């Protein structure tokens, strides 16, 4: 997908095949760029699938004699053979070209032209290369290749072999060196992840890795969790940039993984309105947070019943924020701790989570009907204002048919025709006042 193309200076007027040759210095950087784009356009008809260039950089360099030659870093949207482009450049513009690939792709091609080397001083580099397209990243970024767990592991192994060739021992293990191992061995952040890492180190990791795991035993669970975040960081960033509604809409197109069981269980549970927690009477209270994308305000709990808190053991002993050791000691004294170390097997009668069914369940009008009924029941069972009314946002995407279904579910079928005649959709429904109704 990426090539470094060299247009070398020549004093010859013709090539071995009698083709006319033109010194590259005859052309400007922009002309060279346009020649490559024109070559692509002229050779498209002979390709099975259309090819598109994604990035290009044209560097001009001078020989010690003052003669000009060019290096062109080129990348495309798919792998391609360069021979048709090479023939076109020669036939149409008299430019003889040499094409080569770099193991680190387009970044390696850019780095060859942008970074100095023992044989090429900074003064010999092109200070104003022609970059295409207009949003081409800065050369400081484009000259750095992407990093992955596989590349990091390959680089460390390459360094180990080079050091061995010089009679040197393997370099010390860093935290980041565990990332490829954790991903490849699928070591998940669970209660025995440190043991799994040490088992691998003893079996195949070598002395340096064993010593690192031994010295950093308490840190290993955190390193495992951090490694998986690093591995999936693009997905996490993409998800964070989406609204919750967009994530749900995307999940709707995913395949069902539970054969429809999850929705049936969820519907049965939410129908048990008698068991839904309602706000207790006021007295000394504390706040129970609620998701603010569905509700405005939070609940206050006022009774003195025992509280059951589920947390990681590390959270009871870690000094976070402004906490001091005395604060933790006083907190632990007030708690009766139960340690659960055995993984609980999921019962057969429990439906496993299914993103597709959850999304359809949330976005479908049936759920909003049940939620509003439940909220109405809770408001009727508690003092006025005790349970804040949910935000009137969940129905904004409803169609007229969805609204009519909702009205019918409320046993108000006799007014469905009026809502349909007035084309009341979800957005209009949310805006209706009591007088309008």
């Amino acid at each position: 997908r990426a090539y470094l193309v060299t247009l070398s200076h020549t004093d010859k007027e013709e090539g071995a095949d009698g083709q006319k040759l033109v010194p590259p210095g005859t052309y400007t950087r922009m002309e060279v760029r346009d020649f490559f784009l024109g070559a692509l356009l002229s050779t498209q008809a002979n390709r099975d699938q259309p090819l598109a260039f994604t990035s290009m950089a044209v560097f001009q360099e001078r020989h010690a004699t003052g003669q000009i030659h060019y290096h062109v870093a080129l990348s495309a949207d798919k792998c391609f053979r360069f021979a048709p482009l090479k023939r076109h450049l020669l036939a149409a513009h008299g430019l003889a070209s040499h094409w080569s690939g770099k193991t680190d792709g387009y970044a390696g091609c850019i780095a060859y032209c942008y970074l100095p080397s023992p044989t090429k001083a900074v003064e010999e580099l092109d200070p104003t290369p022609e970059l295409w397209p207009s949003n081409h990243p800065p050369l400081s970024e484009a000259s750095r290749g992407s990093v992955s767990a596989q590349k990091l592991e390959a680089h460390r192994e390459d360094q180990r072999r080079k050091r061995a060739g010089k009679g040197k021992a393997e370099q010390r293990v860093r935290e980041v060196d565990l990332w490829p191992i954790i991903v490849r061995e699928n070591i998940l952040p669970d209660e025995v992840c440190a043991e799994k890492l040490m088992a691998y180190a003893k079996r195949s990791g070598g002395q340096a890795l064993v010593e690192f795991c031994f010295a950093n035993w308490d840190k290993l669970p955190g390193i495992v969790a951090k490694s998986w975040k690093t591995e999936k960081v693009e997905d996490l960033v993409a998800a964070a940039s989406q609204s919750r509604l967009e994530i749900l809409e995307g999940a709707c197109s995913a395949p069902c993984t539970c054969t429809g069981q999850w929705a049936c269980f969820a519907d049965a549970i939410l129908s048990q309105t008698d068991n839904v927690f309602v706000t207790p009477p006021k007295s000394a209270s504390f706040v129970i947070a609620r998701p603010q994308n569905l509700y405005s305000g939070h609940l206050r709990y006022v009774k003195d019943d025992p509280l059951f808190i589920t947390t990681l053991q590390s959270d009871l002993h870690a000094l976070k924020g402004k906490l001091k050791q005395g604060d933790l000691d006083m907190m632990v004294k007030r708690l009766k701790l139960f340690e659960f170390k055995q993984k609980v097997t999921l019962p057969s009668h429990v439906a496993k989570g299914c993103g597709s069914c959850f999304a359809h369940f949330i976005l479908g009008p049936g759920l909003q009907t049940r939620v509003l009924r439940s909220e109405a029941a809770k408001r009727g069972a508690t003092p006025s204002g005790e349970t804040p009314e949910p935000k009137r946002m969940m129905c904004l995407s409803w169609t007229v048919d969805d609204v009519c279904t909702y009205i019918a579910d409320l046993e108000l079928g006799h007014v469905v025709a009026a809502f349909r005649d007035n084309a009341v959709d979800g957005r209009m429904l949310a805006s209706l006042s009591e007088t309008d109704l």
Side-chain angles (χ1 to χ4, degrees), residues 392 395-400 403 424-431:
R392 305 170 81 184
C395 65
L396 294 184
S397 62
W398 286 1
T399 64
V400 174
V403 171
V424 179
D425 60 7
R427 188 170 294 277
M428 183 176 179
L429 178 67
S431 67

Side-chain angles (χ1 to χ4, degrees), residues 111-112 114-125:
Y112 178 85
Y114 171 67
L115 299 176
S117 68
T119 59
K120 187 186 298 184
V122 175
E123 295 75 19
E124 299 179 31
L125 302 176

Side-chain angles (χ1 to χ4, degrees), residues 91-104:
H93 309 291
L95 291 173
S97 58
H98 173 75
W99 297 62
S100 61
K102 292 287 185 179
T103 56
D104 45 355

Side-chain angles (χ1 to χ4, degrees), residues 398-409 416-417 419-420 424:
W398 286 1
T399 64
V400 174
D401 289 338
D402 293 335
V403 171
C404 291
T405 300
Y406 165 64
I407 297 299
D409 286 344
V416 167
F419 278 76
R420 188 178 298 279
V424 179

Side-chain angles (χ1 to χ4, degrees), residues 114-190:
Y114 171 67
L115 299 176
S117 68
T119 59
K120 187 186 298 184
V122 175
E123 295 75 19
E124 299 179 31
L125 302 176
D126 189 349
T128 57
E130 177 66 25
L131 303 181
W132 179 91
S134 58
N135 62 347
H136 189 288
L139 296 179
S140 57
E141 295 180 10
S143 58
R144 291 185 170 96
S146 61
V147 178
S148 65
Q150 293 81 4
K151 289 182 179 180
L152 192 68
E153 187 170 35
H155 176 72
R156 179 175 175 83
E157 183 63 19
D158 181 60
Q159 293 299 311
R160 184 169 81 99
R161 291 169 60 87
K162 288 181 179 179
R163 290 173 66 89
K166 297 177 182 179
K168 296 182 179 180
E170 181 180 1
Q171 63 192 55
R172 296 179 63 180
V173 176
R174 305 163 300 169
E175 287 189 11
V176 71
D177 295 323
L178 270 65
W179 168 30
I181 298 171
I182 290 167
V183 173
R184 174 165 44 80
E185 298 296 316
N186 196 31
I187 299 176
L188 301 178
D190 53 28

Side-chain angles (χ1 to χ4, degrees), residues 3-8 17 19-21 35-44 46-47 51 53 74 80-100:
Y3 288 96
L4 178 64
V5 187
T6 301
L7 307 176
S8 299
D17 55 356
Q19 179 68 50
K20 179 183 177 181
L21 298 178
F35 291 162
F36 275 82
L37 294 175
L40 174 65
L41 185 62
S42 299
T43 57
Q44 288 284 35
N46 298 325
R47 300 184 183 277
L51 180 70
F53 290 157
L74 189 66
F80 68 99
R81 296 182 180 276
F82 63 82
L85 298 169
K86 180 175 182 176
R87 288 193 294 266
H88 179 88
L89 291 172
L90 181 60
H93 309 291
L95 291 173
S97 58
H98 173 75
W99 297 62
S100 61

